Amino acid sequence: MSVVIVEKRERHAVLTISREKALNALNGEVLAALIAAMADLEADGAMRGVVITGAGEKAFVAGADIAAMRDLKPAEASAFAAEGHRAMNAVAESRLISIAAVNGFALGGGLELALACDLRIVAENAKLGLPEVTLGLIPGFGGTQRLPRVVGRGIALEMILSGDMIDATRAAQIGLANRVVASGSALAEAEGMMKTLSTHRSAVAQRAARQAVYEGADTSLAKGLEREIDQFANLFKSDDPRLGMGAFLEKRKPEF
Ligand code: DAK
């Protein structure tokens, strides 16, 4: 059975990391399968979003595979790191909206995968953290960069330097979790949210807004505001503004 299972719904897919015995830890096989699955979804015009979760009740993803990493030679470590970044970027740079359904442990590379997603729905029983320093490592799949961008530098440094896990309530307090939901219902909640985001909302506009948000985080306010103007103007190359505003004026819901 594949270590990454893809189930396509009408407008979104559920992508499940499936190595339950190793708490869905990310080895080379999972990273390659994740990259391939994202490429397939990217090319499927019917797809607007992806929900990423982990198999079983216990873990989203408990990290990069420690057993696979321990004896890496430098060249192999470099190849593993590159594959990891390709996998995270396949999610973060996708045209698809991504939601992590965090159904249990999201540690190390697992939290980094959740951070590569746009949104995170976190189950009450989940524990999240970047424990790499306790293994003599640093977060290597984007955690040092994406976590501070989501929760701010001080809180991110506290998590990275301590390696301590936080619970779902704390994750919501610091803005890491968009929502905390009952144990066992993260996937259903994430899919519900994805359906909402894919209905009566313009994918073209969502992409433009999302790009403006991400680009703005890496630049000055003035440049970010300029990018917002560009994105706004670009939208009018598509039919969606006319469709959306036309529907409003005709007092009906828009279908994009
Ligand atoms: N890798 C491999 N196997 C893992 C694993 C992992 N990350 N996490 C758990 N497992 C395996 C366990 O070894 C165990 O296998 P068996 O003994 O049954 O064969 C099985 O999953 C069940 O785990 P436990 O028996 O330990 O279950 P517990 O309930 O007792 O504990 C736990 C659950 C999540 C607290 C514990 O498993 C744990 O602490 N796991 C490790 C969590 C962790 O440290 N994760 C971070 C991994 S490091 C870089 C690139 C990437 C990275 C760093 C640098 N560069 C490019 C520079 C990323 C690093 C990481 O992600």
Side-chain angles (χ1 to χ4, degrees), residues 19-26 58-59 61-69 77-78 80-82 84-85 105-112 127 129-135 137-142 163 165:
R19 281 189 77 212
E20 204 176 334
K21 282 190 180 144
L23 302 187
N24 306 318
L26 304 173
K58 196 167 164 183
V61 168
D65 190 308
I66 296 170
M69 284 194 299
S78 170
F80 183 71
H85 277 267
F105 289 110
L107 302 174
L111 180 52
E112 291 170 303
K127 296 265 192 265
L130 292 175
E132 280 85 348
V133 294
T134 68
L135 298 163
L137 302 170
I138 67 167
F141 290 162
M165 297 182 207

Side-chain angles (χ1 to χ4, degrees), residues 178-191:
N178 289 79
R179 289 187 198 166
V180 176
V181 300
S183 300
S185 65
L187 178 57
E189 293 279 345
E191 283 205 83

Side-chain angles (χ1 to χ4, degrees), residues 149-215:
R149 281 167 169 76
V150 174
V151 304
R153 189 190 292 162
I155 301 287
L157 275 171
E158 184 182 337
M159 288 179 67
I160 291 167
L161 297 180
S162 70
D164 287 344
M165 297 182 207
I166 60 170
D167 63 17
T169 305
R170 177 72 179 145
Q173 278 168 358
I174 64 177
L176 182 54
N178 289 79
R179 289 187 198 166
V180 176
V181 300
S183 300
S185 65
L187 178 57
E189 293 279 345
E191 283 205 83
M193 184 186 265
M194 191 61 92
K195 276 187 201 139
T196 302
L197 298 182
S198 310
T199 311
H200 306 311
R201 287 153 179 92
S202 158
V204 179
Q206 285 171 327
R207 260 199 301 285
R210 187 165 157 252
Q211 212 170 326
V213 168
Y214 284 123
E215 285 179 9

